[in-house]
Amino acid sequence: MSGKSRRDFLKKSAIIGAGVTGLSTSTTKAAPKNILSEDRMGVLVDTTVCVGCRNCEWACKDAHNLPAGDLEAYEDRKILEAKRRPDHTTLTVINEYSHGKNSNLPVDLKIQCMHCDHPACVSACIVGAFSKQENGSVIWDTDMCIGCRYCMAACPFQIPAFEYDKALNPLIMKCDFCFDRTKEGKLPACVSICPVEALTYGQRTNLVKIGRDRIKRNSDRYIDHIFGEYEVGGTSWMYLASKDFKELDFPDIGRNPAPGVSESIQHGIFAYFVPPVSLYALLGGIMWISKRRKELEEEGKI
Amino acid sequence: MNYELVNPVPIKHKFFTPGVIALIIIALNGLVFLMGRFFFGLGAVTNLNNQYPWGLWIGVDVAAGVALAAGGFTTAALGHVMHREEYHAIVRPALLTAMLGYTFVAVGVFVDIGRWYLIWHPLIMWNGNSALFEVGICVMIYMTVLYIEFLPIFTERFIGKVNLPGILSRLNKLVDKILRLLDRGLSKTMFIFIIAGVVLSTLHQSSLGTLMIIAGPKMHPLWQTPVLPLLFLLSAVSVGFPMVIFESLIASHSLKLKPEMHILSRLGSMIAPLLGIYLAFKIGDMFIRETFVYLGEFNTASVMFTIEILFGVIIPLRMFLSPKVLKSPPLLFTASALVVIGVLLNRINNFVVAYNPPYSTTSYFPSFGEISVTVGFTAMLVLAYRFIIMNFPVISLPGKQTAQPTKYAIRGVEK
Ligand code: SF4
Ligand code: SF4
Ligand code: SF4
């Protein structure tokens, strides 16, 4: 067999293989955008400053056209007795924990999407509706979403919520880092309303510096850990605290990006479609040989 | 060697029996809850919530459904790719199961996704990083391939017998001609689809295992492992033949046919090595990651894991090694049923039992509605299977040796 015809053969079987599996090589690269800009923004949440006034809950609802009610009603602190989770009606919640070191005040903890640098939701979404934006926000295109809820199964912080009670047009809901506001140069609603400046909005790299600085200058106030600096590969929202983050119910998740393993498996199986196409060729070969052997057997008998 | 030639025929039997009527009632009950789901939303019928986004429907209707339909590609690989003609008699029933199985998987997905009217989105919106995307696309294409593989059975049924009612009868000749043309074209190209079917199956059977890897520590360490895709593939391969035996024995019992023990025993003798490989990887993985420590704790996870391995793999593995089991229909049936249940359990464990979200306030157990829909779908599948084998040449009657060329062979080479 000349080199050329063998190459032709390989090319042909590759085309058949790819054609039958219905995809072209470019698919392996088709993925939603995950921009990690140096200038991406973030928020540093100082849980030792937060007073648990829940104004951010109200502002967030107000900014997202969700029924928010009166701001005065949020002064009722009874609600803090139970632990809550963000859902489709409340994109951020405050939970209260017992005091940390060198203080008698309770710890109040704001919870919302972490806006991961390597978001599991972006990697998982079947239609690529989720994306990490240049300014750090992890947002999603509601019109693309098919409601499969894989993003929910994937998110290590259990953040995306789903409108289970709607028969038509149920939506995935989560904090969108006020993408529409920041686009116009405004602060995220929660940051802007916070009366005690527990939330610092800024470039993520600066926020890490600020956090480090605060820890250094007030080592009796903080534990030496910025949650989100390295967790799951880094997040845009980061936390300072006066007690171990495990005691604040943060999940113990390590430093590897959540989608790392599954993406490398996916890309291993589909590396430029070589594995599936070779399997196709191999099976074709086996089929041809088995058939041929059978024929020869029969001819031999006659 | 003297191969028994296959002679698939539509089976003559009464359709309605008490069992069938019971199945119809179960199916109708499922439909009622299905209507509830479409009129009032997922929350009204299921116990799913923000903590547990996936439940019984993904675990059983989709994941277990795909695994238990693996008989389609394993028998195709054996009968056509390796060209073992003695197994051709079981290829058609297995193909039918796979075709119906995947159809119900697709219906299951349609029911489970919140925005079902956008189910076509993955066709044009691609995310190559997403395991779910890959599963979705592969399942869609494979289902099409299965329908194409089934087409010759359809043409065979109608060629020379086209008899349209009334005024349409004028078209009889034309339709017949089209069918013949289709049949000839299909015979020449079928090998392309058969190989594609095997490749696609290998891909998505393993990608189903990749699905939960991204859930990371939310999944119990007894199941969460980077080799999940391999375990899923191996378990799918080892459940293929048991599933074929399982339903073949049920069908012959229900239709009062003689079970084709000569084929089934030989098929059964191949199961032990396959199960053995699966078990070796499963146990090996457990020792490498040292997860056996979790078996010491007494909780749902450890109990479910033990049941899955002991009754789903080890006991049937031992059974399939015994020649006595291979020769006895009831024992062969028991062993096969154990493997089938084992894989079913494994998929439930992976997608439901092992899933433990960090902020769960309750635990998940499927609602009556969810169970009704799943059981209802299973009943519908059985009814459809029964209807098709009574009207299409799927099942080969043993003994009757009318020579008839087998479908799906490479026609060019065959003479
Ligand atoms: S916290 Fe969850 S939803 Fe938010 S970006 Fe990270 S993975 Fe996505
Ligand atoms: S529920 Fe929507 S956003 Fe989430 S993974 Fe599915 S399609 Fe993507
Ligand atoms: S950033 Fe915007 S969406 Fe997110 S919690 Fe704050 S107000 Fe809500």
Side-chain angles (χ1 to χ4, degrees):
Chain A
M1 200 190 272
S2 77
K4 182 176 176 290
S5 66
R6 182 175 311 148
R7 217 174 318 119
D8 276 355
F9 170 75
L10 288 177
K11 214 157 82 196
K12 238 179 243 154
S13 42
I15 289 167
I16 292 180
V20 169
T21 40
L23 302 164
S24 66
T25 9
S26 63
T27 345
T28 35
K29 285 174 235 139
K33 73 175 167 180
N34 186 12
I35 302 170
L36 269 189
S37 151
E38 276 301 303
D39 305 327
R40 64 188 182 279
M41 306 301 273
V43 169
L44 184 65
V45 184
D46 194 331
T47 59
T48 68
V49 173
C50 175
V51 292
C53 70
R54 296 174 53 229
N55 282 2
C56 54
E57 286 186 23
W58 179 86
C60 177
K61 289 183 186 182
D62 188 55
H64 291 82
N65 301 321
L66 295 165
D70 286 336
L71 186 52
E72 285 81 65
Y74 287 72
E75 277 162 23
D76 176 17
R77 293 185 77 92
K78 266 233 178 62
I79 200 166
L80 294 173
E81 282 163 18
K83 301 278 180 285
R84 294 175 299 148
R85 293 293 301 164
D87 63 15
H88 59 283
T89 58
T90 316
L91 308 183
T92 182
V93 297
I94 300 283
N95 279 340
E96 195 161 79
Y97 292 84
S98 64
H99 67 88
K101 66 176 185 179
N102 300 326
S103 160
N104 298 322
L105 297 170
V107 176
D108 290 296
L109 177 71
K110 180 180 182 299
I111 302 166
Q112 73 298 307
C113 169
M114 300 290 285
H115 297 274
C116 309
D117 281 348
H118 304 277
C121 53
V122 172
S123 169
C125 178
I126 181 169
V127 288
F130 269 96
S131 59
K132 172 91 175 167
Q133 298 292 320
E134 203 162 345
N135 71 355
S137 321
V138 174
I139 57 169
W140 71 105
D141 181 345
T142 282
D143 293 334
M144 290 170 83
C145 172
I146 65 169
C148 68
R149 311 185 299 287
Y150 190 32
C151 49
M152 302 170 70
C155 171
F157 296 100
Q158 200 186 314
I159 288 298
F162 184 71
E163 300 181 317
Y164 285 98
D165 292 324
K166 278 215 243 156
L168 267 188
N169 219 22
L171 305 180
I172 283 286
M173 293 289 269
K174 74 170 190 73
C175 151
D176 59 0
F177 211 165
C178 285
F179 190 66
D180 292 334
R181 289 172 57 98
T182 53
K183 231 177 11 198
E184 298 166 359
K186 289 195 234 162
L187 283 174
C190 54
V191 175
S192 119
I193 201 170
C194 180
V196 291
E197 290 183 33
L199 312 173
T200 317
Y201 178 76
Q203 252 179 40
R204 187 179 184 276
T205 40
N206 286 342
L207 293 177
V208 173
K209 278 186 210 138
I210 295 173
R212 291 249 147 273
D213 194 50
R214 282 192 205 170
I215 291 173
K216 208 167 84 195
R217 282 192 288 120
N218 304 291
S219 56
D220 50 340
R221 179 175 186 147
Y222 301 104
I223 57 154
D224 187 14
H225 183 177
I226 306 176
F227 189 97
E229 185 181 1
Y230 298 112
E231 274 76 10
V232 283
T235 56
S236 286
W237 280 65
M238 293 171 291
Y239 289 80
L240 291 175
S242 55
K243 64 201 274 192
D244 196 288
F245 285 101
K246 266 187 217 134
E247 291 170 45
L248 298 176
D249 288 342
F250 276 85
D252 185 11
I253 38 180
R255 292 183 165 193
N256 294 329
V261 183
S262 75
E263 282 191 12
S264 43
I265 293 174
Q266 275 302 101
H267 294 181
I269 296 180
F270 281 93
Y272 298 97
F273 276 87
V274 171
V277 172
S278 339
L279 179 61
Y280 192 98
L282 178 73
L283 289 173
I286 296 178
M287 192 170 184
W288 188 78
I289 292 169
S290 329
K291 185 86 200 172
R292 186 85 193 124
R293 194 169 47 208
K294 170 98 195 317
E295 261 183 359
L296 290 178
E297 246 173 45
E298 271 166 13
E299 274 166 27
K301 255 187 232 154
I302 298 164
Chain B
M1 250 204 256
N2 190 13
Y3 297 125
E4 198 161 324
L5 288 163
V6 280
N7 176 29
V9 288
I11 306 296
K12 294 273 162 292
H13 196 279
K14 203 165 81 196
F15 187 79
F16 290 99
T17 60
V20 167
I21 291 171
L23 284 177
I24 293 177
I25 293 171
I26 294 173
L28 287 177
N29 175 52
L31 283 180
V32 170
F33 284 96
L34 214 53
M35 268 157 54
R37 181 257 169 273
F38 283 106
F39 286 127
F40 305 109
L42 278 168
V45 174
T46 69
N47 277 349
L48 301 173
N49 51 36
N50 289 336
Q51 307 166 13
Y52 295 93
W54 283 359
L56 185 75
W57 290 349
I58 292 290
V60 174
D61 302 15
V62 179
V66 167
L68 297 183
F73 90 94
T74 49
T75 50
L78 182 70
H80 298 312
V81 176
M82 305 213 228
H83 205 75
R84 304 279 295 268
E85 284 187 347
E86 63 270 39
Y87 295 110
H88 277 183
I90 52 150
V91 171
R92 281 191 177 190
L95 171 63
L96 176 60
T97 321
M99 188 180 84
L100 291 175
Y102 274 88
T103 308
F104 277 91
V105 166
V107 176
V109 171
F110 183 76
V111 168
D112 187 80
I113 64 174
R115 298 152 68 87
W116 43 271
Y117 39 89
L118 300 178
I119 194 169
W120 49 273
H121 270 183
L123 280 178
I124 53 164
M125 300 170 188
W126 294 356
N127 177 7
N129 288 334
S130 167
L132 188 63
F133 169 76
E134 203 255 295
V135 170
I137 290 289
C138 271
V139 164
M140 238 184 277
I141 303 172
Y142 183 50
M143 203 166 77
T144 318
V145 167
L146 283 170
Y147 280 110
I148 295 175
E149 285 184 37
F150 197 78
L151 258 183
I153 300 176
F154 181 81
T155 53
E156 186 180 317
R157 161 75 177 75
F158 287 109
I159 281 177
K161 296 179 198 136
V162 183
N163 192 5
L164 296 169
I167 191 142
L168 288 176
S169 62
R170 268 188 246 163
L171 294 174
N172 278 354
K173 266 232 178 82
L174 183 72
V175 172
D176 192 71
K177 220 188 223 150
I178 295 175
L179 286 177
R180 274 173 209 274
L181 212 68
L182 195 63
D183 190 51
R184 208 163 327 125
L186 281 172
S187 329
K188 285 211 188 89
T189 47
M190 193 48 85
F191 72 98
I192 298 179
F193 295 107
I194 287 168
I195 305 177
V198 178
V199 174
L200 287 163
S201 294
T202 337
L203 291 179
H204 70 255
Q205 291 285 4
S206 50
S207 291
L208 262 177
T210 324
L211 273 189
M212 291 311 277
I213 285 184
I214 201 166
K218 287 166 146 190
M219 210 177 154
H220 195 283
L222 277 173
W223 289 279
Q224 179 64 289
T225 154
V227 296
L228 263 181
L230 184 65
L231 294 178
F232 265 56
L233 179 64
L234 291 175
S235 55
V237 169
S238 52
V239 81
F241 297 150
M243 190 67 195
V244 171
I245 298 176
F246 177 75
E247 50 185 43
S248 170
L249 287 175
I250 292 185
S252 53
H253 179 79
S254 152
L255 300 168
K256 312 262 171 331
L257 303 171
K258 210 169 120 253
E260 304 195 70
M261 283 309 285
H262 59 292
I263 304 181
L264 298 185
S265 313
R266 240 185 304 172
L267 207 55
S269 68
M270 284 185 276
I271 296 171
L274 295 176
L275 272 178
I277 298 173
Y278 172 51
L279 184 66
F281 274 94
K282 188 110 180 160
I283 303 276
D285 170 65
M286 195 161 100
F287 275 91
I288 289 171
R289 294 182 307 115
E290 295 177 3
T291 49
F292 45 81
V293 294
Y294 297 100
L295 290 178
E297 301 167 6
F298 183 78
N299 53 27
T300 323
S302 63
V303 171
M304 290 299 272
F305 187 87
T306 314
I307 297 180
E308 174 199 321
I309 290 289
L310 192 64
F311 292 94
V313 188
I314 297 177
I315 294 181
L317 172 60
R318 175 66 195 85
M319 288 181 80
F320 278 116
L321 284 173
S322 136
K324 207 175 106 216
V325 171
L326 293 179
K327 290 214 180 69
S328 135
L331 286 177
L332 189 63
F333 180 79
T334 313
S336 302
L338 282 176
V339 181
V340 170
I341 294 169
V343 170
L344 177 70
L345 259 187
N346 172 265
R347 299 310 193 249
I348 295 178
N349 282 345
N350 269 296
F351 285 90
V352 182
V353 177
Y355 190 78
N356 199 352
Y359 306 101
S360 59
T361 47
T362 52
S363 59
Y364 164 84
F365 194 83
S367 69
F368 184 72
E370 283 175 273
I371 297 174
S372 297
V373 170
T374 297
V375 176
F377 277 156
T378 316
M380 288 179 221
L381 195 150
V382 175
L383 291 172
Y385 187 91
R386 191 177 168 93
F387 176 81
I388 293 179
I389 57 172
M390 285 182 178
N391 290 285
F392 289 90
V394 174
I395 297 209
S396 302
L397 291 180
K400 274 198 187 174
Q401 297 197 5
T402 332
Q404 197 163 23
T406 59
K407 294 280 167 183
Y408 318 113
I410 303 178
R411 281 297 169 87
V413 195
E414 193 180 55
K415 270 287 128 57

